[in-house]
Amino acid sequence: MNDVRLRRGLWAVALSLALGSAARAANPAYTDATKTDDDFVFQGEYVGEVPIDGSPMRIGVHVVALGDGKFDGVAYPGGLPGDGWQPPTRVLGTGTRSGAGADAVVKIEVRDDGGETYKSEIRGGEIAVLGPDGKAAAKLAKKARKSPSLGAAPPPGAVVLFDGKNTDKFVNGRLSPDGLLMEGTTTKDSFGDATWHVEFLLPYQPKDRGQGRANSGVYVQGAYEVQVLDSFGLTGENNECGGVYSVAAPAVNMCLPPLQWQTYDIDFAAPKFQGATQTQPARMTVKHNGVVIHDNIAIPKITPGGPGNGKGAGPLFLQDHGNPVRYRNIWVVPK
Protein backbone atom coordinates (compact mmCIF):
# COMPACT_ATOMS: atom_id res chain seq x y z
CA MET A 1 0.00 0.00 0.00
CA ASN A 2 1.45 3.42 -0.96
CA ASP A 3 1.66 6.35 1.50
CA VAL A 4 -1.41 8.13 0.05
CA ARG A 5 -3.63 5.07 0.37
CA LEU A 6 -2.26 4.41 3.87
CA ARG A 7 -3.03 7.99 4.98
CA ARG A 8 -6.52 7.75 3.48
CA GLY A 9 -7.11 4.44 5.25
CA LEU A 10 -5.97 5.81 8.59
CA TRP A 11 -8.09 8.94 8.08
CA ALA A 12 -11.15 6.79 7.33
CA VAL A 13 -10.59 4.74 10.48
CA ALA A 14 -10.16 7.87 12.59
CA LEU A 15 -13.30 9.44 11.10
CA SER A 16 -15.27 6.23 11.73
CA LEU A 17 -14.17 6.14 15.35
CA ALA A 18 -14.96 9.82 15.81
CA LEU A 19 -18.43 9.45 14.32
CA GLY A 20 -19.06 6.37 16.43
CA SER A 21 -18.04 8.23 19.58
CA ALA A 22 -20.24 11.17 18.63
CA ALA A 23 -23.21 8.87 18.07
CA ARG A 24 -22.70 7.24 21.45
CA ALA A 25 -22.31 10.63 23.12
CA ALA A 26 -25.62 11.76 21.61
CA ASN A 27 -27.50 9.06 23.52
CA PRO A 28 -28.07 10.07 27.15
CA ALA A 29 -27.31 7.83 30.13
CA TYR A 30 -29.23 9.03 33.17
CA THR A 31 -28.10 8.04 36.68
CA ASP A 32 -30.54 10.24 38.62
CA ALA A 33 -34.25 9.40 38.51
CA THR A 34 -35.13 13.06 39.17
CA LYS A 35 -33.26 14.17 36.04
CA THR A 36 -34.46 12.06 33.14
CA ASP A 37 -36.87 12.64 30.22
CA ASP A 38 -40.63 12.81 29.61
CA ASP A 39 -40.80 9.05 28.97
CA PHE A 40 -39.21 7.82 32.19
CA VAL A 41 -42.31 8.21 34.35
CA PHE A 42 -44.23 5.74 32.14
CA GLN A 43 -41.59 3.02 32.06
CA GLY A 44 -41.98 0.27 34.63
CA GLU A 45 -44.03 -2.68 35.83
CA TYR A 46 -47.83 -2.76 36.02
CA VAL A 47 -50.14 -5.46 37.34
CA GLY A 48 -53.88 -6.04 37.75
CA GLU A 49 -56.84 -8.11 36.55
CA VAL A 50 -58.32 -7.99 33.05
CA PRO A 51 -61.62 -9.65 32.06
CA ILE A 52 -60.87 -12.43 29.55
CA ASP A 53 -63.89 -14.33 28.19
CA GLY A 54 -65.95 -13.13 31.12
CA SER A 55 -63.46 -14.17 33.81
CA PRO A 56 -60.78 -12.02 35.52
CA MET A 57 -57.18 -12.89 34.65
CA ARG A 58 -54.16 -11.47 36.45
CA ILE A 59 -51.88 -9.71 33.97
CA GLY A 60 -48.43 -8.20 34.40
CA VAL A 61 -47.07 -5.64 31.94
CA HIS A 62 -43.62 -4.25 31.25
CA VAL A 63 -43.52 -0.82 29.62
CA VAL A 64 -40.08 -0.15 28.13
CA ALA A 65 -39.02 3.33 27.02
CA LEU A 66 -37.16 3.47 23.69
CA GLY A 67 -36.60 7.22 23.46
CA ASP A 68 -38.42 10.03 21.66
CA GLY A 69 -41.84 8.98 22.93
CA LYS A 70 -41.64 5.38 21.67
CA PHE A 71 -42.30 2.32 23.86
CA ASP A 72 -42.47 -1.45 23.85
CA GLY A 73 -45.17 -3.17 25.84
CA VAL A 74 -44.90 -6.77 27.07
CA ALA A 75 -47.90 -8.50 28.69
CA TYR A 76 -47.44 -11.55 30.94
CA PRO A 77 -50.52 -13.73 31.57
CA GLY A 78 -50.70 -14.71 35.24
CA GLY A 79 -48.64 -11.83 36.61
CA LEU A 80 -45.13 -10.41 36.48
CA PRO A 81 -41.97 -12.51 35.96
CA GLY A 82 -41.17 -14.21 39.25
CA ASP A 83 -44.64 -13.40 40.57
CA GLY A 84 -47.28 -15.48 38.81
CA TRP A 85 -46.16 -15.58 35.18
CA GLN A 86 -45.21 -18.95 33.74
CA PRO A 87 -42.81 -18.86 30.74
CA PRO A 88 -42.77 -18.70 27.82
CA THR A 89 -46.07 -17.01 26.79
CA ARG A 90 -45.68 -13.24 26.31
CA VAL A 91 -47.76 -10.82 24.27
CA LEU A 92 -45.92 -7.93 22.60
CA GLY A 93 -47.09 -4.45 21.67
CA THR A 94 -45.88 -0.95 20.84
CA GLY A 95 -46.77 2.47 22.15
CA THR A 96 -46.38 6.19 21.56
CA ARG A 97 -46.48 9.16 23.92
CA SER A 98 -48.34 12.34 23.13
CA GLY A 99 -48.21 15.52 25.17
CA ALA A 100 -45.87 16.31 28.05
CA GLY A 101 -46.01 16.79 31.79
CA ALA A 102 -49.40 16.31 33.42
CA ASP A 103 -51.10 16.16 30.00
CA ALA A 104 -48.93 13.31 28.68
CA VAL A 105 -50.48 9.97 27.76
CA VAL A 106 -49.02 6.80 26.25
CA LYS A 107 -51.21 4.72 23.96
CA ILE A 108 -50.23 1.08 23.56
CA GLU A 109 -51.62 -1.56 21.21
CA VAL A 110 -51.05 -5.27 21.87
CA ARG A 111 -51.98 -8.04 19.44
CA ASP A 112 -52.33 -11.62 20.66
CA ASP A 113 -51.63 -14.84 18.73
CA GLY A 114 -55.24 -14.93 17.52
CA GLY A 115 -54.91 -11.54 15.84
CA GLU A 116 -57.02 -9.78 18.46
CA THR A 117 -55.88 -6.20 19.15
CA TYR A 118 -56.09 -4.71 22.64
CA LYS A 119 -55.74 -0.98 23.19
CA SER A 120 -54.71 0.74 26.39
CA GLU A 121 -53.68 4.13 27.72
CA ILE A 122 -51.19 5.00 30.43
CA ARG A 123 -51.66 8.07 32.55
CA GLY A 124 -51.64 8.89 36.24
CA GLY A 125 -49.55 5.85 37.19
CA GLU A 126 -51.88 3.20 35.77
CA ILE A 127 -52.76 1.41 32.55
CA ALA A 128 -56.38 1.64 31.46
CA VAL A 129 -57.25 -1.37 29.28
CA LEU A 130 -59.90 -0.19 26.83
CA GLY A 131 -62.96 -2.15 25.81
CA PRO A 132 -64.56 -2.16 22.32
CA ASP A 133 -66.43 1.02 23.27
CA GLY A 134 -63.18 2.84 24.02
CA LYS A 135 -63.91 2.98 27.76
CA ALA A 136 -61.72 1.52 30.49
CA ALA A 137 -62.59 -2.14 31.04
CA ALA A 138 -59.81 -2.70 33.58
CA LYS A 139 -56.95 -0.85 35.24
CA LEU A 140 -53.44 -2.04 36.03
CA ALA A 141 -51.53 -0.23 38.76
CA LYS A 142 -47.85 0.63 38.51
CA LYS A 143 -45.74 -1.41 40.91
CA ALA A 144 -42.16 -0.80 42.06
CA ARG A 145 -40.88 -4.18 43.23
CA LYS A 146 -38.04 -4.45 45.72
CA SER A 147 -35.64 -7.34 46.17
CA PRO A 148 -36.11 -9.13 49.51
CA SER A 149 -32.32 -9.10 50.01
CA LEU A 150 -31.90 -5.39 49.24
CA GLY A 151 -29.86 -3.81 52.02
CA ALA A 152 -29.02 -7.22 53.53
CA ALA A 153 -26.58 -6.94 56.43
CA PRO A 154 -23.38 -8.98 56.18
CA PRO A 155 -23.58 -12.09 58.38
CA PRO A 156 -20.89 -13.23 60.83
CA GLY A 157 -17.73 -14.20 59.01
CA ALA A 158 -18.43 -11.93 56.03
CA VAL A 159 -15.78 -9.73 54.46
CA VAL A 160 -17.30 -6.32 53.72
CA LEU A 161 -15.86 -5.04 50.46
CA PHE A 162 -17.90 -1.90 49.96
CA ASP A 163 -20.25 -0.21 52.43
CA GLY A 164 -20.26 3.26 50.93
CA LYS A 165 -17.41 4.65 53.00
CA ASN A 166 -14.35 4.16 50.78
CA THR A 167 -12.82 2.04 48.02
CA ASP A 168 -9.82 0.81 50.04
CA LYS A 169 -10.47 -2.85 49.15
CA PHE A 170 -10.51 -2.22 45.40
CA VAL A 171 -7.88 -1.57 42.74
CA ASN A 172 -8.82 1.51 40.70
CA GLY A 173 -11.90 1.96 42.87
CA ARG A 174 -13.84 5.15 42.13
CA LEU A 175 -16.76 6.78 43.89
CA SER A 176 -19.52 8.61 42.04
CA PRO A 177 -20.50 12.07 43.34
CA ASP A 178 -23.32 10.43 45.32
CA GLY A 179 -20.99 7.94 47.02
CA LEU A 180 -21.59 4.81 44.93
CA LEU A 181 -18.96 2.40 43.62
CA MET A 182 -18.38 2.87 39.91
CA GLU A 183 -17.80 0.16 37.32
CA GLY A 184 -14.32 -0.91 36.21
CA THR A 185 -12.76 -2.09 39.46
CA THR A 186 -11.30 -5.26 41.00
CA THR A 187 -10.94 -6.38 44.60
CA LYS A 188 -7.43 -6.47 46.05
CA ASP A 189 -8.17 -9.79 47.77
CA SER A 190 -8.93 -13.09 46.06
CA PHE A 191 -11.55 -15.70 46.95
CA GLY A 192 -12.50 -19.25 46.03
CA ASP A 193 -15.65 -21.01 47.29
CA ALA A 194 -17.87 -18.25 48.65
CA THR A 195 -21.29 -16.67 48.97
CA TRP A 196 -21.60 -13.20 47.47
CA HIS A 197 -24.02 -10.30 47.85
CA VAL A 198 -23.88 -7.49 45.29
CA GLU A 199 -26.31 -4.60 44.74
CA PHE A 200 -26.36 -2.73 41.43
CA LEU A 201 -28.17 0.14 39.72
CA LEU A 202 -28.66 0.28 35.94
CA PRO A 203 -28.56 3.68 34.25
CA TYR A 204 -31.53 4.74 32.14
CA GLN A 205 -30.42 4.74 28.47
CA PRO A 206 -33.65 4.83 26.44
CA LYS A 207 -32.04 5.37 23.03
CA ASP A 208 -29.45 2.60 23.33
CA ARG A 209 -30.06 -1.03 22.43
CA GLY A 210 -28.71 -4.48 23.18
CA GLN A 211 -25.22 -4.69 24.65
CA GLY A 212 -24.96 -0.89 24.65
CA ARG A 213 -27.71 -0.50 27.24
CA ALA A 214 -26.34 -0.41 30.83
CA ASN A 215 -23.66 -3.05 30.27
CA SER A 216 -21.37 -4.30 33.02
CA GLY A 217 -20.68 -7.65 34.66
CA VAL A 218 -20.04 -9.30 38.02
CA TYR A 219 -17.06 -11.67 37.59
CA VAL A 220 -16.71 -14.13 40.46
CA GLN A 221 -13.13 -15.44 40.87
CA GLY A 222 -12.35 -12.89 38.16
CA ALA A 223 -13.35 -15.51 35.62
CA TYR A 224 -17.10 -16.31 35.70
CA GLU A 225 -19.41 -13.47 34.66
CA VAL A 226 -22.98 -12.95 35.73
CA GLN A 227 -24.02 -10.38 33.14
CA VAL A 228 -25.30 -6.94 34.14
CA LEU A 229 -27.42 -5.30 31.44
CA ASP A 230 -30.66 -3.38 31.02
CA SER A 231 -32.69 -6.38 29.88
CA PHE A 232 -35.99 -5.12 31.26
CA GLY A 233 -38.78 -6.52 29.09
CA LEU A 234 -36.53 -8.88 27.10
CA THR A 235 -36.70 -12.69 26.96
CA GLY A 236 -33.63 -13.35 29.11
CA GLU A 237 -30.64 -14.80 27.21
CA ASN A 238 -27.17 -15.82 28.37
CA ASN A 239 -25.80 -12.40 27.33
CA GLU A 240 -28.58 -10.50 29.10
CA CYS A 241 -29.03 -9.55 32.74
CA GLY A 242 -28.73 -12.60 34.97
CA GLY A 243 -27.12 -14.73 32.28
CA VAL A 244 -23.88 -16.57 32.94
CA TYR A 245 -22.28 -15.03 29.91
CA SER A 246 -21.99 -17.40 26.93
CA VAL A 247 -22.93 -20.37 29.15
CA ALA A 248 -26.47 -20.26 30.57
CA ALA A 249 -29.58 -18.11 30.26
CA PRO A 250 -31.50 -17.28 33.46
CA ALA A 251 -34.52 -19.47 34.22
CA VAL A 252 -36.59 -16.27 34.30
CA ASN A 253 -35.69 -12.70 33.39
CA MET A 254 -35.88 -10.90 36.75
CA CYS A 255 -34.38 -7.63 35.51
CA LEU A 256 -36.16 -4.63 37.03
CA PRO A 257 -36.42 -1.26 35.26
CA PRO A 258 -33.31 0.95 35.22
CA LEU A 259 -32.72 3.25 38.20
CA GLN A 260 -34.20 0.68 40.61
CA TRP A 261 -31.70 -1.07 42.90
CA GLN A 262 -31.28 -4.79 42.21
CA THR A 263 -29.45 -7.68 43.89
CA TYR A 264 -27.37 -10.69 43.02
CA ASP A 265 -26.92 -13.35 45.70
CA ILE A 266 -24.42 -15.88 44.39
CA ASP A 267 -23.32 -19.19 45.90
CA PHE A 268 -20.11 -20.15 44.11
CA ALA A 269 -18.02 -23.33 44.15
CA ALA A 270 -14.65 -22.97 42.41
CA PRO A 271 -13.47 -25.61 39.93
CA LYS A 272 -11.28 -28.43 41.21
CA PHE A 273 -7.96 -29.49 39.69
CA GLN A 274 -5.58 -32.40 39.94
CA GLY A 275 -2.33 -30.96 38.76
CA ALA A 276 -3.11 -29.10 35.55
CA THR A 277 -6.22 -31.19 34.87
CA GLN A 278 -9.64 -29.86 35.84
CA THR A 279 -11.57 -32.61 37.61
CA GLN A 280 -14.72 -30.64 38.49
CA PRO A 281 -16.19 -27.54 36.84
CA ALA A 282 -17.16 -24.41 38.69
CA ARG A 283 -20.75 -24.41 39.95
CA MET A 284 -23.05 -21.52 40.72
CA THR A 285 -26.46 -20.80 42.22
CA VAL A 286 -27.72 -17.28 41.54
CA LYS A 287 -30.66 -15.37 42.97
CA HIS A 288 -31.62 -12.23 41.06
CA ASN A 289 -33.85 -9.99 43.15
CA GLY A 290 -34.61 -12.95 45.41
CA VAL A 291 -35.60 -15.40 42.66
CA VAL A 292 -33.42 -18.41 41.80
CA ILE A 293 -32.38 -18.00 38.17
CA HIS A 294 -29.52 -20.55 38.18
CA ASP A 295 -29.70 -23.62 40.43
CA ASN A 296 -26.28 -25.18 41.05
CA ILE A 297 -25.38 -25.08 37.37
CA ALA A 298 -22.04 -26.33 36.08
CA ILE A 299 -19.87 -23.77 34.30
CA PRO A 300 -17.48 -25.75 32.09
CA LYS A 301 -15.36 -22.81 30.96
CA ILE A 302 -14.28 -19.36 32.04
CA THR A 303 -16.33 -16.60 30.45
CA PRO A 304 -14.81 -13.87 28.23
CA GLY A 305 -13.50 -10.53 29.44
CA GLY A 306 -12.34 -11.20 33.00
CA PRO A 307 -8.85 -10.98 34.51
CA GLY A 308 -8.91 -14.46 36.10
CA ASN A 309 -8.02 -17.85 34.68
CA GLY A 310 -10.28 -19.95 36.89
CA LYS A 311 -7.38 -21.62 38.71
CA GLY A 312 -6.91 -20.98 42.41
CA ALA A 313 -8.55 -18.05 44.16
CA GLY A 314 -9.50 -14.94 42.21
CA PRO A 315 -10.88 -11.43 42.74
CA LEU A 316 -14.31 -9.94 42.23
CA PHE A 317 -14.22 -7.90 39.02
CA LEU A 318 -16.91 -5.35 38.15
CA GLN A 319 -16.62 -4.78 34.42
CA ASP A 320 -16.47 -1.38 32.73
CA HIS A 321 -18.25 -1.63 29.38
CA GLY A 322 -18.65 2.11 28.86
CA ASN A 323 -21.92 2.55 30.78
CA PRO A 324 -22.35 4.22 34.21
CA VAL A 325 -23.53 1.20 36.24
CA ARG A 326 -23.35 1.73 40.02
CA TYR A 327 -22.74 -0.70 42.90
CA ARG A 328 -23.20 -0.73 46.67
CA ASN A 329 -23.42 -3.08 49.70
CA ILE A 330 -20.94 -5.70 48.50
CA TRP A 331 -19.87 -8.47 50.85
CA VAL A 332 -18.61 -12.04 50.65
CA VAL A 333 -18.63 -15.03 53.00
CA PRO A 334 -15.66 -17.28 52.18
CA LYS A 335 -16.19 -21.01 52.71
Side-chain angles (χ1 to χ4, degrees), residues 107 119-121 123 128-138:
K107 296 184 178 181
K119 297 183 178 182
S120 61
E121 294 182 352
R123 66 174 91 220
V129 180
L130 306 181
D133 58 0
K135 296 180 180 180

Side-chain angles (χ1 to χ4, degrees), residues 21 164 176 178 209:
S21 299
S176 66
D178 49 353
R209 302 290 181 268

Side-chain angles (χ1 to χ4, degrees), residues 1-91:
M1 180 181 291
N2 61 39
D3 289 345
V4 173
R5 290 178 63 193
L6 177 60
R7 287 196 298 271
R8 285 175 178 173
L10 292 174
W11 181 86
V13 170
L15 179 60
S16 175
L17 291 172
L19 290 174
S21 299
R24 288 192 296 273
N27 292 343
Y30 302 99
T31 58
D32 184 343
T34 66
K35 300 175 182 178
T36 54
D37 60 9
D38 290 331
D39 295 336
F40 179 75
V41 67
F42 295 98
Q43 176 166 275
E45 298 187 302
Y46 298 76
V47 66
E49 291 188 342
V50 174
I52 304 292
D53 296 328
S55 299
M57 174 182 284
R58 193 163 183 258
I59 299 289
V61 174
H62 282 170
V63 177
V64 184
L66 302 177
D68 298 324
K70 305 299 182 184
F71 296 84
D72 277 342
V74 187
Y76 302 88
L80 293 167
D83 186 22
W85 175 64
Q86 296 298 316
T89 304
R90 308 184 326 145
V91 183

